[in-house]
């Protein structure tokens, strides 16, 4: 009598462990939330001052007060950007993918001023080609709380034999003056 129960219990445990393992590894990006406290796994290019911080003020930003705020965890990436002066950052990673597969890609962004709205100019590139039809949803994009973050997201489909891609997040915002931005929870 006990044997069928044990078999069912062990099978259930195996399936749950397998599902949890798949959930934990579902994001293909490494250090996607910057919880290592640095830019490990990311290649960063561009002319903007960029980095990773934990609740740090950005005194160089024109729109004050600006604070680096994490969407989740303790750490977030940041940059000081001025889109019209072509001051921005590009964060990239090379990742393994499955051929003929649809993927969602995106991140969360915030300008840390409590009331000043700043225009975000997001672009996501897959192998240097723009992902079309990006959507910006959720919060206002400016403010000092997690609820104010905006999500930028798009989709792409890999080719028949494509097994590796370069995903790049072009991070620009603002206008002529330096704008401090927080970026967190990147995903593919």
């Amino acid at each position: 009598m006990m044997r069928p129960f044990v078999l069912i219990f062990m099978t259930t445990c195996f399936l749950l462990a397998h599902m949890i393992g798949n959930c934990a590894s579902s994001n293909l990006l490494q250090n996607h939330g910057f919880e290592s406290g640095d830019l490990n796994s990311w290649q960063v290019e561009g002319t903007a001052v960029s980095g990773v911080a934990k609740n740090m003020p950005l005194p160089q930003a024109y729109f004050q007060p600006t604070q680096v705020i994490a969407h989740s965890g303790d750490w977030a990436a940041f940059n000081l950007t001025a889109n019209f002066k072509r001051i921005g950052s590009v964060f990239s990673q090379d990742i393994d993918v499955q051929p003929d597969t649809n993927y969602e890609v995106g991140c969360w962004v915030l300008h840390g001023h409590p009331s000043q709205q700043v225009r975000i100019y997001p672009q996501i590139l897959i192998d240097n080609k723009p992902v079309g039809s990006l959507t910006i949803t959720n919060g206002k994009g400016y403010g000092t709380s997690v609820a104010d973050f905006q999500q930028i997201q798009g989709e792409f489909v890999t080719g028949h034999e494509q097994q590796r891609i370069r995903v790049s997040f072009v991070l620009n915002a603002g206008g002529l003056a330096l704008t401090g931005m927080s970026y967190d929870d990147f995903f593919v």
Side-chain angles (χ1 to χ4, degrees):
M1 288 291 177
M2 196 67 148
R3 201 171 255 178
F5 174 78
V6 171
L7 183 59
I8 291 170
F9 178 76
M10 290 178 63
T11 303
T12 302
C13 289
F14 173 79
L15 290 173
L16 283 173
H18 182 70
M19 288 180 353
I20 290 169
N22 285 344
C23 291
S25 64
S26 63
N27 194 337
L28 300 177
L29 297 171
Q30 300 296 312
N31 195 22
H32 54 86
F34 304 98
E35 293 307 310
S36 66
D38 55 33
L39 291 167
N40 278 346
S41 302
W42 290 95
Q43 182 178 31
V44 180
E45 302 171 78
T47 55
V49 173
S50 303
V52 173
K54 183 193 310 188
N55 295 324
M56 178 186 91
L58 295 171
Q60 306 92 332
Y62 175 77
F63 298 103
Q64 289 296 324
T66 296
Q67 184 96 358
V68 177
I69 299 170
H71 179 256
S72 70
D74 293 324
W75 297 85
F78 71 88
N79 73 356
L80 289 167
T81 176
N83 188 62
F84 295 152
K85 289 186 176 181
R86 299 193 187 281
I87 299 173
S89 305
V90 180
F91 286 42
S92 301
Q93 282 191 30
D94 295 319
I95 60 173
D96 294 329
V97 293
Q98 296 296 317
D100 294 320
T101 304
N102 188 23
Y103 289 95
E104 290 185 348
V105 57
C107 64
W108 293 84
V109 300
L110 178 72
H111 168 56
H113 190 283
S115 62
Q116 179 66 47
Q117 183 173 2
V118 171
R119 180 129 168 97
I120 301 166
Y121 300 94
Q123 194 174 20
I124 300 173
L125 308 175
I126 303 298
D127 290 336
N128 293 319
K129 295 177 186 154
V131 170
S133 301
L134 292 179
T135 57
I136 301 174
T137 58
N138 295 313
K140 306 177 290 190
Y142 62 94
T144 56
S145 78
V146 171
D148 296 326
F149 270 85
Q150 285 187 322
Q151 184 183 46
I152 298 169
Q153 163 176 332
E155 293 183 2
F156 68 95
V157 179
T158 53
H160 296 303
E161 296 183 20
Q162 198 168 20
Q163 295 181 356
R164 191 152 179 85
I165 63 164
R166 169 165 283 243
V167 59
S168 301
F169 298 87
V170 181
L171 306 175
N172 295 319
L176 294 173
L178 286 176
T179 301
M181 297 294 296
S182 297
Y183 307 96
D184 203 6
D185 298 329
F186 290 70
F187 61 90
V188 173

